[in-house]
Amino acid sequence: MKDKKITIKDGQSGNEIDLPVLDSILGPNVVDISSLEKDLGYLSHDPGFIATSSCESKITYIDGNEGELWYRGYPIEELAEKSNFTETAYLLLNDKLPKIEELSNFSKDLSNSYTIDSSIKKIINVFNKDSHPMAIMTACLSFLSAKYHADIDIQNQSYRYKSTINLIAGVPVISAWILNYILDENFQTPNKKISIAENFVAMSFPNLTNEQKVLSSKAMDIIFLLHADHEQNASTSTVRLSGSSETSPYAAIAAGISTLWGPTHGGANEAVINMLEEIKNSDKDVEYYIDKAKDKENSFRLMGFGHRIYKNYDPRAKIIHKIAHEYLDMLDSKNPNKPLFDIAMKLEKYALEDEYFVSRKLYPNVDFYSGIVLKAIGIPQSMYTVIFALARTVGWVAHWNEMIQDKNFRIGRPRQLYTGKTKTSYKDIEER
Ligand code: ACO
């Protein structure tokens, strides 16, 4: 509605201004504070962006209390059941599900871009084998930003489409090459005839049987789909802020990868596996670890439980829980990952019934199960965040495209609450 507003009164000067309220389709409406400084002489202050909407977006909707996640209005559960990563990428980019021909053209454009510049292998080769794969990945993206530097033309739709396709198709190939390298395998050649997930599995594990390839590709495709977007999280906001300077999209994605790398963002699934291994190898039972997590004197937390946004079961965790079940059931019952999964199920059961976790709304998050599936597929732990990054590249480029076409597009430039020194005169070194 046009006239919605919030009135702010300055208690000191008595001045009063009306700030317009912008309606959201769902979720809290927002107050447009862009005139706050001009009209009242104040800035807003919100460290951590707890109550700040940084942009207008039509891509992803999350209701943390209800445990809902929708891509372009479609619930994640339906997409995980009926769609696939490629079609979901089209949806995130285009705001509609593709018709047969549209999907076929999009898939062809993607597979034609699997053959990225093979000089990237040289970049990977200069790293030590034990280098973190996320560091290698940012270097590869940096190489691409140099390669395509002369063409930058972000207002041009066909430039944006080409960069989008290069990134969505190229990052998985780079990821598979990094995996080949750290596993001491030869660099594998991409296969244009198969999907991104199938190609990633085929390149990463060339020695699997066809049956194993099908099984692992299916699980991987759903993991990619579940991680494809999550609205304005730290890495997506980084891509937007970086891209807002009109830099190369490859450089903006490299910035997103750097942000995702941190343990409080993309690195939690690794921590879950470490915790499950610790429980498996200890002589203590699951109850002991539940008690330890509840003990306020102890800093131990149940990894994979709790979420800043979801105060309900993370909908992605439900889906991946089912995948983990199906996947591990189909694997050999002697698979070394079965005991980890059994411990995870016990932990989940205890925690969901325990007053401490129930009252704090601490439910399993997506990372609680994704590490188990990735481990069972054979992905080394240090690569888990790379898998996350390759999937999230779709969301990052969708947000980058949306931002550039926004009528309010301009460089992002946060302000600050300055609490440093007032103007100070320089003193010569002898006088200090
Ligand atoms: N185990 C035990 N207690 C917990 C846990 C946990 N995993 N998570 C939160 N709590 C407790 C806190 O101690 C606090 O208790 P109190 O109210 O008695 O002080 C209460 O629950 C609220 O916790 P906060 O830290 O305020 O919640 P916040 O929203 O800031 O943190 C976070 C969310 C970081 C995810 C937290 O739950 C956590 O550390 N979880 C484990 C790590 C993890 O799984 N991270 C992955 C997040 S999902 C993702 O990135 C895709």
Side-chain angles (χ1 to χ4, degrees), residues 227 230 263-269 271-272 293-294 296 300-309 311 314 316 356-357 360 362 365-368 388:
H227 287 87
H230 213 233
T264 52
H265 192 5
N269 47 17
V272 172
K294 289 157 58 176
K296 289 286 154 206
F300 174 79
R301 281 189 167 194
L302 219 49
M303 287 295 121
F305 274 76
H307 196 280
R308 175 58 62 79
I309 302 288
K311 299 302 170 196
D314 177 342
R316 301 166 300 172
Y356 174 95
F357 292 90
R360 288 169 180 76
L362 299 171
N365 58 50
V366 65
D367 290 327
F368 190 62
F388 194 159

Side-chain angles (χ1 to χ4, degrees), residues 192-203:
K192 282 185 177 190
K193 296 196 177 113
I194 52 182
S195 73
I196 288 178
E198 288 165 337
N199 185 51
F200 177 76
V201 169
M203 286 180 73

Side-chain angles (χ1 to χ4, degrees), residues 31-48:
V31 184
D32 177 354
I33 57 153
S34 52
S35 67
L36 195 61
E37 185 182 17
K38 183 168 69 66
D39 293 344
L40 213 53
Y42 290 106
L43 295 176
S44 67
H45 186 59
D46 182 19

Side-chain angles (χ1 to χ4, degrees), residues 123-124 126-127 133-145 254:
I123 309 277
I124 297 173
V126 301
F127 281 84
M134 288 295 270
I136 308 180
M137 209 179 188
T138 45
C140 295
L141 266 292
S142 181
F143 172 86
L144 290 181
S145 66

